[in-house]
Amino acid sequence: MIQPPEIIRVSKSRVSCDGSGDIPAALGHPRVFLEIDEHGYVDCGYCDRRFVLIGGVADTPDAGDRPDIASGASL
């Protein structure tokens, strides 16, 4: 069974991800900047973390069940 994405709730629509968290940043991935659009969330194309805008349309208990959105990703 596929694990649901790690969901991180954020207060700003522009976020960055380097894959770190519980691991040192050197073991993560290149830092990318992501923009949350009208869907209310965006997924990191490297590590599949899902960033959900607090109070946005996707800020619901089923946020992990929505389709992947990696648009807005930039290096």
Side-chain angles (χ1 to χ4, degrees):
M1 184 170 168
I2 297 174
Q3 293 292 324
E6 177 183 2
I7 297 174
I8 300 173
R9 296 175 71 231
V10 296
S11 59
K12 297 184 179 188
S13 62
R14 185 156 172 86
V15 297
S16 67
C17 184
D18 63 6
S20 64
D22 295 340
I23 62 172
L27 299 177
H29 59 69
R31 178 170 296 179
V32 292
F33 294 90
L34 308 164
E35 189 73 35
I36 298 173
D37 62 11
E38 68 275 358
H39 294 98
Y41 68 101
V42 69
D43 298 324
C44 176
Y46 284 99
C47 65
D48 292 331
R49 282 189 175 134
R50 178 162 290 177
F51 296 89
V52 176
L53 187 61
I54 295 172
V57 297
D59 192 14
T60 61
D62 68 340
D65 298 333
R66 295 174 184 250
D68 289 353
I69 295 182
S71 62
S74 63
L75 293 175

